[in-house]
Every structure is written in structure tokens, then in C-alpha cells.
């Protein structure tokens, strides 16, 4: 079975060296050095990427003739996952699985309406029937897929990428909007959800076990509508039952304290708790920063309007011209502040939000190990009771009941052995998954921080350029 083998890297693993191309030291390399000697090779890359802007696809001969008339967009650079040792049949070359989500469209009317998203897939994997295809999926289909993957793989210790959160308010607004109102489909809510769904699918596709799962492949290429995942609704019976189960598990986490014999798990549990707290604080700080930038943009706009009105009242020609030019400059500065706020949110806030959810998935895996341990200890307790019962029956001279008790002892002995084996297997699997998770986390944060700083410098350069252009006009006031 795939779960019995050593898992390859989770998500997107690439060759990470301690030095950049220019020979300078990589400030993120120390975090990777601490990951127990994990080696990432460059041989036989397996490529996973999604072209977020592309909509060129072949699904039928008619579709092919239509799309050939349009210029195909340039595909985005691919992210490479190296040396995957999973049962993926190779085709004599590098394999790739590119997924993008676009073109949200509203279907239905009233409270029965929903938004469907176009999922475009390109691949050369023989597990798929075609090399490029697309399907439309609604939000509940994504949640249904996540539930199936959790049911299959969480028990074995796999870290399942979390699905995006539901938003009752945003969904209700979409349902109640006019059928022909395209503004509701191009607003922030739909775009943020589309981006979140795309990140979720890409993370799932980057996992070497999840990407070949039959349910995931059906989700990507089945042209028919999937069976409605009614259990994903918060108001359904399954949703209420799931809520009670979460409450029960929360109580179990608080009341049950596992006697941890492995210091690695104790250290990682503490690390995940601290990381969760710090990421939540950083996420809150960035959200405040985004709000302040938007407030600054609004105040800058007010200042620009006041300067324009003042220039109309000023009789001094040079001063009036300078004030008018100042108003135009402030309008440009306002646009820069708004763009910077949107960039801060899309680059940093979304990454932090994703990793807060991912750490929640890691905690779920750790808790699943605790549940396996509880089952093992329960079996051990029952075995001891059955042994005591057998001994009492033998001393009481009741051989018939003693034989029955002996059979029960054998059954519980088998359950204890299976429980211990399952506990050892899930512990080993979690360690391997965590190694890959740490490498992916360091890589993601490095790329995001660099991208954020580059955008920050670009916006600052734009501000300097605008003010340098205004300076001669200010100096020209006589």
C-alpha cells in the first residue's frame, strides 16, 4: 500500500541550497538545516503548477477549433517537486499536473443559486484520460472532496490541506443578487474565494499520494455533476452532528493528557502551538496595516480635493498652478496607497491565513495519533480485565467459562497488537510528513517575503517618482 511506503515530499519541494545564485548566504537555510537530514534531489522532477490566468483548453473537437483561433497565453513557470517515489507511472519524461480556477459563473435563482468555478487541468500523467480538460465545480464540491480525503488518509497520518472556510454572509449576498448582475461575480468575495479554492487544489495536487487518489481524479476530470455533498451544509443533520463531534473532541483534547514517550512529538506540539499563536498575531497586525493604508489613501484623496478647490480660489498664478499640480500628485499617491494595501493583503495576509489553517490540519493529525493511542490503551486495559476474569474462573473451577474467557483474551491480545502497530505506523508517517511540511513552509515564506519586499520597494519608488515630478513646480513659485 502507498501508506506503508516512505512518503515523498509534501506540497511543493524543490532543491533548496544554502546560497543564492549570487553566492550570498540564504537567511532561511538554517531552518532547513534543522530538519533531520532530509535530502532533496534534482533527479526525475515531478512538476505541479496552476496557470491562474489561462483558460485555453481542449475538451472536444469543436472546442479545439474555437480555441485555436485565440492566442494561447504563456504558461507560468512551473514549480518542481523532486524525486517522488510513489506509484505514479512515468511517461519517459517529467510529469506535471497544472491546475487553474477561473471564470466564476452564477447558476440557478434565489436561495437555490450557486457559483460554479471553471477548473482547467493540464497533465501528461497516464492516470488521466486526456492531457487537458476542464470541468465546473461548485463550492460544496470542494468541501465534499476534502471530507473524502480526510476520511481516507487522516487516520494514516497524512497532513490533508484544509479546504477554504464557508461564509454564510457572502454566499447569501450572491444568492440574492440579480441573475444578470456581473458585479457580484467580480467583487472581492468571489475573487478571494476563487483564489482560496485554487490554492487548496494546488496544494492537494502537489501531494504525491493525494494527487493520484481516485476521488481527486474524478473531481478534476468527470464532466458530469458530482453527487451533491449535502453533509457540508452547516444547517444539515450531518453538519450539526459534526459540530457536536468537534465539541466532544475539544473536550477530549482538554481533559486527556497523553504520557508522551517520544520527545520529538512533545517538541513539535509545543512548536506548532507557538507558531499558531505568532502567526495569528502577525495576521492581525497585517490586517490592521491594510486598514491603515486604506485610511491613508482615503485621507490623501480628501487632501487632493481640498488642494484642487484651493487652487481654484488662489489668484496667484504660479501658486495656483502648483496647488493644482499638488492635487494631481496626491491623487497618484492615493492610487499607490490603495495598490499597496491590496498587495499587502493578497501577498502576506492570504499566506498567513493559509498557514494558520495548515497548522490546524497538523494539529488534527497530532490529535488523530492521540486517538489511536487511546484505542490502544483501552484495548490494553480490557486485555488486563479479561486476563483477571479468566484467572478467577480457573480458580473457581469453572473450565467452560474459563475457556470462553480464554478466547476473549486472545481476541483482545490481537487488538492490543494491532493498536500498537497502528500507533507506531501513524507516528512514523507524521514524522515524515512533518519533514516535508517544514521544507515547504520555509520555501513558501521565503518566496512570499521576498515578493512582498520587492513590491514594497516598487511602490516606494513610484512615490519618489511622483514627488520628484512635482518638485520643480513647487520651486517655480515666484
Amino acid at each position: 500500500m502507498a501508506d506503508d511506503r516512505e512518503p515523498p515530499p509534501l506540497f511543493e519541494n524543490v532543491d533548496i541550497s544554502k546560497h543564492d545564485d549570487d553566492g550570498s548566504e540564504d537567511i532561511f537555510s538554517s531552518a532547513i538545516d534543522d530538519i533531520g537530514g532530509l535530502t532533496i534531489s534534482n533527479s526525475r522532477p515531478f512538476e505541479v503548477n496552476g496557470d491562474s490566468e489561462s483558460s485555453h483548453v481542449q475538451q472536444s473537437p469543436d472546442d479545439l477549433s474555437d480555441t485555436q483561433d485565440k492566442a494561447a497565453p504563456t504558461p507560468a513557470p512551473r514549480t518542481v517537486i523532486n524525486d517522488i517515489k510513489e506509484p505514479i507511472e512515468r511517461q519517459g519524461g517529467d510529469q506535471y499536473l497544472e491546475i487553474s480556477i477561473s471564470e466564476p459563473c452564477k447558476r440557478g435563482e434565489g436561495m437555490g443559486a450557486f457559483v460554479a468555478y471553471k477548473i482547467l487541468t493540464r497533465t501528461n500523467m497516464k492516470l488521466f484520460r486526456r492531457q487537458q480538460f476542464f470541468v465546473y465545480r461548485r463550492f460544496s464540491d470542494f468541501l465534499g472532496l476534502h471530507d473524502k480525503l480526510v476520511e481516507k488518509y487522516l487516520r494514516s497520518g497524512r497532513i490533508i490541506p484544509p479546504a477554504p472556510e464557508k461564509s454564510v454572509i457572502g454566499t447569501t449576498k450572491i444568492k440574492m443578487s440579480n441573475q444578470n448582475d456581473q458585479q457580484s461575480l467580480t467583487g472581492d468575495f468571489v475573487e478571494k474565494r476563487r483564489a482560496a479554492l485554487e490554492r487548496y487544489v494546488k496544494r492537494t495536487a502537489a501531494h504525491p499520494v493525494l494527487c493520484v487518489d481516485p476521488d481527486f481524479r474524478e473531481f478534476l476530470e468527470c464532466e458530469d455533476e458530482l453527487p451533491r455533498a449535502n453533509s457540508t451544509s452547516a444547517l444539515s443533520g450531518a453538519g450539526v452532528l459534526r459540530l457536536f463531534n468537534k465539541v466532544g473532541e475539544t473536550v477530549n483534547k482538554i481533559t486527556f493528557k497523553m504520557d508522551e514517550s517520544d520527545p520529538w512529538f512533545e517538541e513539535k506540539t509545543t512548536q506548532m502551538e507557538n507558531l499558531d499563536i505568532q502567526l495569528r498575531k502577525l495576521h492581525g497586525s497585517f490586517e490592521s496595516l491594510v486598514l491603515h493604508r486604506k485610511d491613508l489613501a482615503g485621507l490623501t484623496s480628501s487632501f487632493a480635493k481640498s488642494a484642487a478647490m484651493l487652487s481654484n480660489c488662489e489668484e496667484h498664478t504660479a501658486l495656483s498652478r502648483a496647488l493644482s499640480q499638488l492635487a494631481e500628485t496626491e491623487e497618484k499617491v492615493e492610487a499607490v496607497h490603495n495598490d499597496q494595501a491590496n498587495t499587502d493583503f493578497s501577498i502576506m495576509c492570504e499566506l498567513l491565513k493559509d498557514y494558520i489553517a495548515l497548522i490546524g490540519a497538523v494539529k488534527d493529525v497530532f490529535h488523530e495519533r492521540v486517538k489511536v493511542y487511546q484505542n490502544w490503551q483501552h484495548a490494553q486495559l480490557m486485555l488486563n480485565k479479561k486476563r483477571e476474569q479468566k484467572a478467577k474462573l480457573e480458580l473457581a473451577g469453572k473450565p467452560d467459562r474459563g475457556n470462553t474467557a480464554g478466547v476473549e483474551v486472545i481476541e483482545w491480545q490481537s487488538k492490543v497488537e494491532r493498536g500498537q502497530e497502528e500507533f507506531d505506523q501513524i507516528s512514523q508517517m507524521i514524522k515524515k510528513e512533518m519533514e516535508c511540511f517544514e521544507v515547504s513552509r520555509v520555501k513558501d515564506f521565503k518566496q512570499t517575503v521576498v515578493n512582498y519586499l520587492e513590491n514594497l520597494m516598487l511602490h516606494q519608488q513610484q512615490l519618489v517618482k511622483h514627488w520628484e515630478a512635482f518638485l520643480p513646480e513647487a520651486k517655480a513659485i515666484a
Side-chain angles (χ1 to χ4, degrees), residues 383-397:
L383 175 62
N384 295 336
K385 289 182 178 180
K386 294 300 180 181
R387 284 174 174 172
E388 292 177 359
Q389 183 180 2
K390 178 185 176 184
K392 290 179 181 179
L393 292 173
E394 289 177 350
L395 291 175

Side-chain angles (χ1 to χ4, degrees), residues 1-11 13 35-40 85-86 156-159 207-209 262 264-265 268 362 365-366 369 424-440:
M1 296 176 64
D3 288 347
D4 294 331
R5 304 183 183 182
E6 179 177 350
L10 180 64
F11 306 130
N13 297 338
I35 305 176
L38 179 65
T39 302
I40 304 175
K85 300 177 181 178
E86 290 291 335
S156 64
R158 300 285 185 184
I159 300 177
H207 195 292
V209 175
D262 191 340
W264 185 91
F265 280 97
K268 284 298 179 182
V362 172
V365 173
F366 278 34
R369 175 176 174 269
D424 293 338
Q425 288 178 351
I426 193 175
S427 298
Q428 292 299 321
M429 181 63 68
I430 290 175
K431 288 183 178 181
K432 295 170 184 177
E433 291 273 301
M434 283 300 296
E435 288 177 349
C436 304
F437 172 77
E438 291 293 344
V439 173
S440 177

Side-chain angles (χ1 to χ4, degrees), residues 433-475:
E433 291 273 301
M434 283 300 296
E435 288 177 349
C436 304
F437 172 77
E438 291 293 344
V439 173
S440 177
R441 181 173 65 87
V442 173
K443 172 182 172 291
D444 285 347
F445 271 87
K446 175 181 177 178
Q447 291 180 342
T448 302
V449 170
V450 171
N451 189 17
Y452 171 73
L453 293 177
E454 289 177 347
N455 278 275
L456 187 62
M457 293 174 61
L458 177 62
H459 287 100
Q460 294 302 315
Q461 290 172 359
Q462 291 176 351
L463 290 176
V464 171
K465 180 180 179 181
H466 293 327
W467 289 117
E468 285 180 343
F470 170 72
L471 186 59
E473 190 70 32
K475 290 183 177 180

Side-chain angles (χ1 to χ4, degrees), residues 382-395 398-414:
M382 293 300 298
L383 175 62
N384 295 336
K385 289 182 178 180
K386 294 300 180 181
R387 284 174 174 172
E388 292 177 359
Q389 183 180 2
K390 178 185 176 184
K392 290 179 181 179
L393 292 173
E394 289 177 350
L395 291 175
K398 299 178 180 179
D400 294 338
R401 297 181 62 184
N403 292 335
T404 302
V407 174
E408 293 179 349
V409 167
I410 295 175
E411 292 178 354
W412 282 105
Q413 178 67 41
S414 177

Side-chain angles (χ1 to χ4, degrees), residues 50-60 62-76 98-104 117-122 131-136 194 198:
D51 185 2
S52 59
E53 300 296 333
S54 173
S55 59
H56 182 63
V57 65
Q58 286 183 331
Q59 191 174 22
S60 65
D62 295 336
D63 295 333
L64 177 61
S65 61
D66 293 335
T67 54
Q68 285 178 342
D69 296 335
K70 302 178 182 179
T74 303
E98 299 177 352
I99 302 176
S100 64
I101 298 181
S102 60
E103 301 181 19
Y117 300 86
K118 180 180 179 180
I119 306 177
L120 186 152
T121 305
R122 293 189 181 92
Q131 291 189 347
Q132 52 183 354
F133 44 88
F134 70 85
V135 293
Y136 282 91
R194 183 209 62 79
E198 185 174 78

Side-chain angles (χ1 to χ4, degrees), residues 32-50:
I32 302 174
D33 293 339
D34 297 335
I35 305 176
L38 179 65
T39 302
I40 304 175
S41 66
N42 285 325
S43 61
R44 311 291 293 180
F46 173 78
E47 302 175 351
V48 177
N49 184 58

